[in-house]
Amino acid sequence: MDNKLKNKQGLTEEEFLKTYDAGEYERPSVTVDMLIFTVTDQEKESYRKLPEKVLRLLMIKRGDHPYIGQWALPGGFVNMDESMDEAARRELKEETNIDNIYMEQLYTWGDVGRDPRTRIISTSYMSLVDSHSLDVKANDDADDAKWFTVSCKLFQEQKTVTPAGYILQRLFKLILSNEDDILSATIKIVKTVENRVTKIEREIVESEGIAFDHAKIIEYGIERLRNKIEYTDIAFNLMPELFTLTQLQQVYEIILDTELLKANFRRKISDMVIETNEYTKDAGHRPSKLFRFNPN
Amino acid sequence: MDNKLKNKQGLTEEEFLKTYDAGEYERPSVTVDMLIFTVTDQEKESYRKLPEKVLRLLMIKRGDHPYIGQWALPGGFVNMDESMDEAARRELKEETNIDNIYMEQLYTWGDVGRDPRTRIISTSYMSLVDSHSLDVKANDDADDAKWFTVSCKLFQEQKTVTPAGYILQRLFKLILSNEDDILSATIKIVKTVENRVTKIEREIVESEGIAFDHAKIIEYGIERLRNKIEYTDIAFNLMPELFTLTQLQQVYEIILDTELLKANFRRKISDMVIETNEYTKDAGHRPSKLFRFNPN
DNA sequence: ATAATAGTGTCTTTCAGACAGTATAGT
DNA sequence: ACTATACTGTCTGAAAGACACTATTAT
């Protein structure tokens, strides 16, 4: 490419860049918000039943205004000398102390009033962590990071047919809980189809204890996770090196919030796993074969 | 919520916000980049054949450094008083002069050196427009906007098995062309699976006439479009009010870059369309029934 | 024996793919 | 009659869903 080309002011690219002034336009701040999911065992309820699994999300208690005392997603500013992904990895490392874990960009949230301090645009990332690779680290961190059990359920659906399409309104209840706190929010998702143009809007109806618009960001992340677990192998990021097929099925079940039939589940995931010769021991019942992930 | 809570400095939220100083940290600029797709008829090649369809993308010729003379996606800065979506709609309106069209956020691109002037983070949006609702407007615009025929093909695939997974490298050739210009780029997509952690990276190998990292953004958009057309009804955003099933099939075929079997295609889309009583006229062959979109 | 979980076989229905056939306009 | 497109019927095989059955450990 000819880099001696001159612009209307008669400047070459080199000269142009040397004199370039980024200008006095005011700029938004840019942050990343991390959705860090893991799956852990619930305490066994009866003497020799299998432990139930729960989906957990890492949240941080705010120590200052705004939303002081409420819980927010971990995250922080994107520095001038790092890419978005690098910023996200840095935050992840700070919170979980793990380096090489699954991470994916989800969506960028840029409504004007979403932070009362100043204009902040925030990109959300989702990360999936095997709970066994986590040390307690994130639990006794100075900045009050804690894992919350996540539940997100559709509880109302309303369809209105209009002359040129329809309006579908769905209400989701998001509940985050642990031993000490229960946070909740209601998120309204409105899908409008009019003259074959589809539009989807997401709105927080009510939010208890969840800072900023993070309830919306969490709901969106869960939706994406549910969707993606169906047609990719991301679920294995939540599994330890060796696992039983029942454990794997439990992970699918808590994420999708449905019960699956064992035989069918095994058929479906059969070529994503490799059989090993090892078995579980000293459960109060028949031992089960351990499998590992098969990266085809 | 109790908004009389005080922080460590003894300030209420109101007092805190009044004295809040956004700080002297340098901030990136934030822009939106629009992928505006449409489908148009190619000139008929023989006297009574059906016109072939082509997928087109709107690009703008750069009049200043950097990348002077090259072609870039339409887009612009996000103002402080508008949301990301509003900025995207504004750009869309400026370029196409249409208001109510399909638009979807795709991805946020934030590599450090992606713009030589200053740090710019850019969110890409995809929009689908029915070409009949477009006037020539965008063609004779002052800022040299033009539609390019798009083609994006996989031309090399290479898989290397590693001890703990594999590396899959794919090369795509992107070609944008119209009567006057041919632009092209090669994009490398590397998928690494290692210890059950998957990572995907996208890199521009070579780019001819396409400004910035826009080749990458376009390739990603096409991938998403191809993916989404399979399981949603977005294709209808590219169709006029009334259309024949063959026209609809052609749209699927150019986007997916494959040939589909008529009978199977019709079965698949049957409940997304409504039959009308109208027929096409004066084609050199049997008239065909017109359908409209069925917003279920 | 019984509780609890592990693991398999198979029937049915649904859906995607392939292909062959019939129908109807213009020239 | 012929060309070009419109439209339909049906066979096949793969996958999803439902369900029933057998197996193996600990108490």
Side-chain angles (χ1 to χ4, degrees), chain A residues 18-254:
Chain A
K18 239 177 225 155
T19 60
Y20 180 79
D21 174 16
E24 288 316 311
Y25 287 107
E26 221 185 331
R27 287 177 216 159
S29 296
V30 179
T31 65
V32 289
D33 282 334
M34 305 301 304
L35 292 157
I36 307 172
F37 288 106
T38 194
V39 171
T40 59
D41 287 353
Q42 195 85 292
E43 324 75 64
K44 304 194 187 194
E45 58 175 31
S46 134
Y47 70 112
R48 49 183 189 152
K49 284 203 173 167
L50 279 183
E52 295 208 344
K53 304 242 173 227
V54 285
L55 179 66
R56 310 200 101 126
L57 177 67
L58 191 65
M59 300 285 284
I60 292 186
K61 191 170 189 171
R62 290 195 50 78
D64 200 353
H65 294 302
Y67 299 100
I68 189 167
Q70 297 197 30
W71 295 81
L73 292 168
F77 291 95
V78 176
N79 297 327
M80 290 301 274
D81 60 351
E82 67 184 354
S83 70
M84 310 278 291
D85 285 11
E86 282 161 3
R89 289 225 172 269
R90 177 172 55 71
E91 292 295 336
L92 209 46
K93 169 90 184 181
E94 282 171 19
E95 298 304 333
T96 64
N97 206 27
I98 316 180
D99 247 336
N100 194 29
I101 48 182
Y102 177 78
M103 194 189 80
E104 179 194 0
Q105 192 195 104
L106 291 184
Y107 197 80
T108 298
W109 307 84
D111 279 0
V112 174
R114 58 180 295 280
D115 192 305
R117 290 167 293 187
T118 177
R119 179 77 196 274
I120 296 186
I121 287 170
S122 181
T123 298
S124 58
Y125 280 79
M126 170 169 77
S127 188
L128 304 179
V129 195
D130 159 27
S131 63
H132 305 275
S133 68
L134 282 170
D135 285 328
V136 261
K137 160 75 176 138
N139 276 315
D140 50 23
D141 200 343
D143 60 6
D144 243 331
K146 275 213 180 117
W147 292 97
F148 283 78
T149 297
V150 182
S151 132
C152 184
K153 287 188 201 295
L154 175 68
F155 72 96
Q156 198 193 90
E157 191 163 25
Q158 190 184 80
K159 186 170 168 176
T160 314
V161 176
T162 60
Y166 65 90
I167 299 170
L168 177 65
Q169 179 185 297
R170 286 176 304 161
L171 291 176
F172 284 88
K173 190 81 189 174
L174 173 70
I175 297 175
L176 304 180
S177 61
N178 61 20
E179 321 77 55
D180 308 314
D181 295 275
I182 296 186
L183 322 175
S184 70
T186 307
I187 291 103
K188 179 161 80 177
I189 302 179
V190 182
K191 179 177 174 187
T192 318
V193 180
E194 197 172 351
N195 297 319
R196 72 199 184 283
V197 178
T198 303
K199 197 169 66 181
I200 293 179
E201 282 162 323
R202 214 171 289 260
E203 183 192 328
I204 297 177
V205 176
E206 158 268 334
S207 179
E208 290 279 329
I210 304 174
F212 306 104
D213 54 356
H214 289 187
K216 201 155 74 168
I217 300 179
I218 296 168
E219 189 281 329
Y220 183 74
I222 293 170
E223 197 173 291
R224 283 281 286 267
L225 175 58
R226 282 185 179 154
N227 194 255
K228 208 149 182 192
I229 203 180
E230 295 269 29
Y231 68 95
T232 69
D233 52 21
I234 44 167
F236 293 94
N237 292 289
L238 296 165
M239 305 305 294
E241 171 85 35
L242 296 177
F243 49 85
T244 69
L245 294 185
T246 302
Q247 285 164 359
L248 184 62
Q249 183 174 345
Q250 286 177 317
V251 168
Y252 274 78
E253 287 178 340
I254 38 152

Side-chain angles (χ1 to χ4, degrees), chain A residues 1 5 7 11-13 16 27 64-65 70 79 82 105 108 119 159 166 196 237 239 296, chain B residues 1 5 7 11-13 16 27 64-65 70 79-80 82 105 108 119 159 196 237 239 296:
Chain A
M1 182 193 140
L5 274 177
N7 70 2
L11 299 173
T12 65
E13 176 159 15
F16 169 86
R27 287 177 216 159
D64 200 353
H65 294 302
Q70 297 197 30
N79 297 327
E82 67 184 354
Q105 192 195 104
T108 298
R119 179 77 196 274
K159 186 170 168 176
Y166 65 90
R196 72 199 184 283
N237 292 289
M239 305 305 294
N296 286 297
Chain B
M1 187 193 139
L5 275 178
N7 69 2
L11 299 174
T12 65
E13 175 159 16
F16 169 86
R27 286 176 218 160
D64 200 353
H65 295 302
Q70 297 197 31
N79 296 328
M80 290 300 274
E82 66 184 357
Q105 192 194 105
T108 298
R119 180 75 196 275
K159 186 172 170 176
R196 70 197 185 286
N237 292 289
M239 305 305 293
N296 285 297

